[in-house]
Amino acid sequence: MAAAGSVQADPVAQAREALLERLADFRSRVVLVPLDAHGGLWTAELGGLDWICVFSDEEALARFAEARGEGDREWAYRRVVGARLLDGIVPALDFPCGVAWNAAGPDGMVLPPMRGIVPDTAALDGEAAA
């Protein structure tokens, strides 16, 4: 039971705040984006949507490569600021695409192409849906 005068924390508001903090952190980071054989951004399809896989550092990328059974090959990558990825690169694609951060890691997170994450023009629940 809550003490008199104390305010119960709203778990939904707390989760929303935590998500916004992680999103702000991602937007300010320089992330590693693996490149495909043609020099484009490497993507993976999951659940009918393409995802650009990005990593916080080389160790996170190495964990991902090992999880895929591809730890012995060289992974070329490009460094990109998270905000540029979400605000410029994702909207420039001619297909809906989300971002998967640190896949195969304990701090992994997905950023789907939704309003509030990417510009409305690229959001599946925004102008892109029209």
Side-chain angles (χ1 to χ4, degrees):
M1 180 163 231
S6 71
V7 177
Q8 288 271 348
D10 176 8
V12 173
Q14 287 179 327
R16 182 176 292 119
E17 183 63 30
L19 173 63
L20 292 174
E21 287 175 13
R22 288 201 73 196
L23 179 58
D25 179 50
F26 176 81
R27 294 179 69 79
S28 68
R29 282 182 178 258
V30 173
V31 296
L32 309 182
V33 185
L35 303 176
D36 65 18
H38 306 288
L41 303 181
W42 191 87
T43 61
E45 189 274 329
L46 180 65
L49 187 65
D50 286 291
W51 298 88
I52 299 170
C53 295
V54 304
F55 301 92
S56 55
D57 53 36
E58 289 179 344
E59 291 79 23
L61 174 55
R63 274 194 308 272
F64 176 75
E66 286 294 326
R68 291 183 51 82
E70 298 182 57
D72 57 342
R73 79 168 178 92
E74 183 177 330
W75 286 72
Y77 60 84
R78 167 183 274 168
R79 294 178 192 276
V80 179
V81 175
R84 181 169 184 271
L85 186 65
L86 295 175
D87 297 341
I89 295 172
V90 168
L93 299 173
D94 59 357
F95 55 92
C97 193
V99 174
W101 184 23
N102 286 342
D107 62 340
M109 173 175 67
V110 293
L111 300 167
M114 306 297 284
R115 286 183 302 166
I117 297 174
V118 298
D120 284 357
T121 57
L124 293 177
D125 61 342
E127 294 175 32

